């Protein structure tokens, strides 16, 4: 291996999952410093996104468990995390980083479940907001190379006056600040923002703006402002109770419409926005009847299979199934190691992103010859190859 050019070694390593790379850091000093360089971390992340590989499932609340999705056998194991309480809330995931908080939301961490890199957010500046129900959202602003967290508080005063306040945390600045709020009442107080196209999405009712019905409130992480998107195309049934869940699937915003009569699930439709912000591009990807899923509450889309022909569904908390888009059948399966309790499921990509590096420069330096080879290579040729 020592005879191979640096660019060949880096190209090979960039195709590997994070768990393998963490072990390979011990092979030699040049590999250790190569795998730690910010350019390699970015290239590896881009390669993982393109290949749709190194995917993991995450179960949360009250505890945190993960499983590798690319294996034939899905087996969960508990994840050690920096939160002391066991009741873990998940506010979102992005680039292999997840945002978690304790039951009372007094501690919020950004955390990489694979590398264990984590960062505790300061909270002293956000405790003065009014008491109400809180919604969060977490995502990445590529323009400013910054991870951001949105915190929304909504409720009613004793005089029954509606209020809505918002603050945003920037990892680059390591601080919170007030941002533009939204006059709309956000529906479903336990549904945090869904990240698509570097914007966070919430279901909202916009009667205060002269509009009726359900809309999607979108918070752009770059402009730090809200806008509204019409979703009337799939909210058209009158008389039935519609439980609508927003999700991200294959990089697109999607909405799962659970059709209920007298709070009994009859079926579910998955709508996907093929072209972002184009309300005419909403298409129904599938419609699942009760006979396929045997669900009493709701189903939730998690992630596409690697070939894009199936969708992983979570059914009534701890049941799972692959929905085949061609045959329109659901293949149920039971993962190993499922913990007790009612849990929520999300997916995340494996990455080497280090949160500490955002605030602390890496003082370690590799041998001069290897460092020069790595730096010159990562800044030119390998970027063009990928």
């Amino acid at each position: 291996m020592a005879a191979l050019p640096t660019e060949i070694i880096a190209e090979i390593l960039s195709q590997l999952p994070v768990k393998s790379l963490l072990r390979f850091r011990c092979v030699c000093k040049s590999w250790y410093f190569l795998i730690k360089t910010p350019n390699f971390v970015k290239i590896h992340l881009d390669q993982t996104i393109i290949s749709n590989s190194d995917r993991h499932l995450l179960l949360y609340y009250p505890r945190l468990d993960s499983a590798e999705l690319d294996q034939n056998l899905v087996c969960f194991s508990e994840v050690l995390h920096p939160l002391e309480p066991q009741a873990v809330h998940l506010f979102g995931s992005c680039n292999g980083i997840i945002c978690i908080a304790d039951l009372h939301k007094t501690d919020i961490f950004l955390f990489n479940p694979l590398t264990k890199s984590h960062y505790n957010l300061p909270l002293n500046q956000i405790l003065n907001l009014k008491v109400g129900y809180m919604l969060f959202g977490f995502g990445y602003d590529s323009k400013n190379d910054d991870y951001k967290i949105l915190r929304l508080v909504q409720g009613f005063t004793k005089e029954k006056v509606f209020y809505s306040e918002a603050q945003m945390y920037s990892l680059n600045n390591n601080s919170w600040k007030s941002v533009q709020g939204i006059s709309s009442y956000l529906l479903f107080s336990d549904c945090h923002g869904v990240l698509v196209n570097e914007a966070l999405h919430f279901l909202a009712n916009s009667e205060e703006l002269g509009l009726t019905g359900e809309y999607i409130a979108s918070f752009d992480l770059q402009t730090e402002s809200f806008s509204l998107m019409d979703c009337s195309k799939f909210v058209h049934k009158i008389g039935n109770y519609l439980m609508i869940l927003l999700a991200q699937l294959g990089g697109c915003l999607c909405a799962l419409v659970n059709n209920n009569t007298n709070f009994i699930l009859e079926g579910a439709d998955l709508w996907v926005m093929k072209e972002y912000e184009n309300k005419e591009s909403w298409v129904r990807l599938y419609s699942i009847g009760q006979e396929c899923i045997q669900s009493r509450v709701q189903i939730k889309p998690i992630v596409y299979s690697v070939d894009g022909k199936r969708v992983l569904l979570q059914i009534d908390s701890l049941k799972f199934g692959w929905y085949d888009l061609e045959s329109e059948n659901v293949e149920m399966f039971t993962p190993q190691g499922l913990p007790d309790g009612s849990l929520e499921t999300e997916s995340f990509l494996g990455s080497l992103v280090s949160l500490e590096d955002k605030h602390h420069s890496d003082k370690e330096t590799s041998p001069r010859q290897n460092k020069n080879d790595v730096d010159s290579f990562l800044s030119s040729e390998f970027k063009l190859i990928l």
Side-chain angles (χ1 to χ4, degrees), residues 48 103 141 153 166 205 222 234 248 258 268 296 300 316 318 331 334 354:
T48 302
L103 179 62
D141 172 4
V153 177
N205 192 318
Q222 292 187 11
F234 54 80
Q248 181 273 138
N258 292 275
R296 293 185 179 182
K300 174 184 174 182
D316 292 348
L318 288 181
E331 180 184 350
T334 302
S354 172

Side-chain angles (χ1 to χ4, degrees), residues 219-232:
F219 181 82
D220 190 302
L221 290 171
Q222 292 187 11
T223 63
E224 299 177 3
S225 60
F226 272 102
S227 60
L228 291 175
M229 302 165 59
D230 181 17
C231 60
S232 59

Side-chain angles (χ1 to χ4, degrees), residues 368-380:
R368 182 172 300 274
Q369 182 178 0
N370 289 333
K371 184 177 185 301
N372 291 337
D373 289 343
V374 170
D375 287 346
S376 62
F377 157 65
L378 287 173
S379 62
S380 57

